[in-house]
Amino acid sequence: EYTVAFVADGVIVETVAYTADNTSVAEPAVPAKTGYIGQWEEYTLVGGDRTVEAIYTPIAYELTLECVGDYGQLKGSGSYAYGGKVTITAESYPVYDFTGWYSGDSLVSQDASYSFTMPAENTVYEARYSLRKDLEPFSFIAGKDYCIITGVTDTLVTELVVPDCVTEIKDMAFINCQSLISLTLPIADQTIGNYFSTNNIPSSLKTIILSEGLTYIAPSAFANLSRITDIYLPSSLTRIGKGAFTGCSALQNIHISDLASFCAIYIEQGALLSGGKNLFLGGTLVTDLVVPEGVVSLGNGFNVYDNLTSVVMPDSVLNIGDNAFYACEYLNNVVLSKNLVAIGGSAFRQCTRLN
């Protein structure tokens, strides 16, 4: 007589006897194990004691992802084996912020990309979203790849920061904001300048702030905004289109935060300013310009500044662009780079105090 030991996860479930003449045995039930289907391994009794192991296979459960409304795209739903690693992702459309994954009314995670171990049950997670806080001052229409500003919710507002998700601003969107003084613009739409005309900007607006990341201002972008007095240029800006500020007769002050990047800026066919004006670096009026070490070329961003009286260039400067200091009539002292290779046309033209 021999024995067969039925073992599950290292524990003997039952030991059954058999003989060489009678190999038929009554198998015990495979112990239940959460998340698994169990069965005994295949075996043949040919004499001698024997151990038979239970084999457990993970059960596949369904993971369902839901969202009440069209706020974004959800990834990760499907069938997963119990105990397997699962990652779900909620991608938000531009005007919404993801707020969390929920199971019923219970918050599971606030991470848009959430990883977990698949439980032993079919599971439903709901993605919830909220409107971006920075869009609250605006009325708009939006979809998965656009956001169009149509107006504002408070016409008495004095400052507006247009969020970076905005792709278009409708004509007359700000016209009733007669207390608006400062407007910060995004870079989402590369034709940013086409938003603006004298019919779209309230007469109260004096300051325009352009966001970091913008590299190019389109031709005629802000043409004829005759009441604008201050413009803030980002350090990412490399080029200004022809006539971008033509007709901005009140524009007095250009504000920059990074001198090295401004040194390389190029302005297409004409000065940034139409007459003698002021350049501010980090809030300080530039009178004595010291070009940062490492700058190789000077563009034409310094022309027609009233208060520029001196320029000192490091020996890293090799080129001075056309019209670089054109009509800086109070410029009276320039220290050139020892390694200068080229000076562009009209670089110092009408610098009448320069000896």
Side-chain angles (χ1 to χ4, degrees):
E1 184 175 282
Y2 308 103
T3 61
V4 181
F6 291 89
V7 177
D9 288 337
V11 177
I12 296 175
V13 176
E14 187 176 338
T15 300
V16 180
Y18 80 97
T19 66
D21 296 329
N22 183 10
T23 59
S24 177
V25 296
E27 296 179 349
V30 178
K33 185 177 180 180
T34 301
Y36 293 89
I37 295 175
Q39 64 182 34
W40 298 114
E41 65 178 338
E42 293 184 2
Y43 62 93
T44 302
L45 300 178
V46 292
D49 295 337
R50 174 69 192 271
T51 298
V52 177
E53 299 281 350
I55 298 175
Y56 290 100
T57 303
I59 299 173
Y61 295 95
E62 288 298 316
L63 173 63
T64 303
L65 303 180
E66 296 179 343
C67 178
V68 180
D70 189 21
Y71 303 124
Q73 293 183 332
L74 309 181
K75 297 180 180 180
S77 60
S79 296
Y80 294 93
Y82 168 70
K85 183 179 179 180
V86 181
T87 298
I88 55 178
T89 303
E91 297 178 354
S92 305
Y93 290 156
V95 300
Y96 299 104
D97 286 327
F98 175 77
T99 58
W101 293 105
Y102 284 79
S103 177
D105 290 327
S106 299
L107 175 65
V108 176
S109 174
Q110 292 180 308
D111 296 329
S113 182
Y114 171 56
S115 297
F116 59 95
T117 299
M118 190 66 192
E121 60 183 354
N122 294 329
T123 302
V124 178
Y125 284 149
E126 178 191 353
R128 295 185 184 180
Y129 297 83
S130 63
L131 180 67
R132 286 176 50 154
K133 291 289 186 182
D134 53 7
L135 273 168
E136 289 180 353
F138 303 95
S139 54
F140 61 91
I141 54 177
K144 67 179 181 179
D145 56 3
Y146 66 90
C147 176
I148 302 172
I149 297 295
T150 58
V152 296
T153 56
D154 179 8
T155 57
L156 298 179
V157 66
T158 58
E159 296 183 8
L160 280 176
V161 178
V162 179
D164 57 8
C165 62
V166 172
T167 56
E168 184 181 346
I169 300 175
K170 283 294 187 182
D171 289 343
M172 314 296 285
F174 304 136
I175 196 63
N176 292 321
C177 300
Q178 293 302 318
S179 298
L180 185 63
I181 299 173
S182 175
L183 177 64
T184 301
L185 300 175
I187 63 168
D189 187 347
Q190 295 305 313
T191 60
I192 186 170
N194 295 340
Y195 295 152
F196 302 99
S197 69
T198 54
N199 293 326
N200 195 20
I201 295 297
S203 59
S204 59
L205 185 63
K206 305 298 183 185
T207 301
I208 290 179
I209 303 171
L210 301 178
S211 299
E212 282 295 333
L214 183 70
T215 58
Y216 178 57
I217 298 176
S220 303
F222 303 100
N224 300 316
L225 298 183
S226 59
R227 295 180 177 87
I228 298 297
T229 61
D230 291 71
I231 184 84
Y232 286 75
L233 302 179
S235 61
S236 55
L237 188 66
T238 60
R239 195 176 185 92
I240 298 177
K242 179 180 178 181
F245 297 95
T246 297
C248 296
S249 56
L251 184 56
Q252 294 287 327
N253 306 312
I254 303 299
H255 300 263
I256 63 173
S257 60
D258 186 280
L259 183 56
S261 62
F262 190 72
C263 284
I265 202 167
Y266 178 73
I267 304 166
E268 299 175 1
Q269 295 188 24
L272 175 57
L273 303 170
S274 58
K277 307 296 187 287
N278 307 311
L279 177 68
F280 289 85
L281 173 62
T284 301
L285 179 65
V286 177
T287 57
D288 301 301
L289 175 63
V290 179
V291 178
E293 184 66 44
V295 171
V296 175
S297 297
L298 294 178
N300 59 346
F302 293 103
N303 50 43
V304 299
Y305 287 114
D306 255 357
N307 292 287
L308 189 61
T309 59
S310 70
V311 176
V312 177
M313 303 178 193
D315 291 338
S316 60
V317 174
L318 303 179
N319 302 290
I320 299 175
D322 294 343
N323 301 305
F325 298 96
Y326 174 81
C328 291
E329 61 176 300
Y330 290 95
L331 182 61
N332 58 55
N333 184 50
V334 175
V335 178
L336 297 174
S337 164
K338 295 178 182 178
N339 298 314
L340 195 61
V341 174
I343 299 178
S346 300
F348 295 98
R349 186 181 179 187
Q350 294 189 26
C351 297
T352 54
R353 288 173 171 78
L354 190 61
N355 294 323

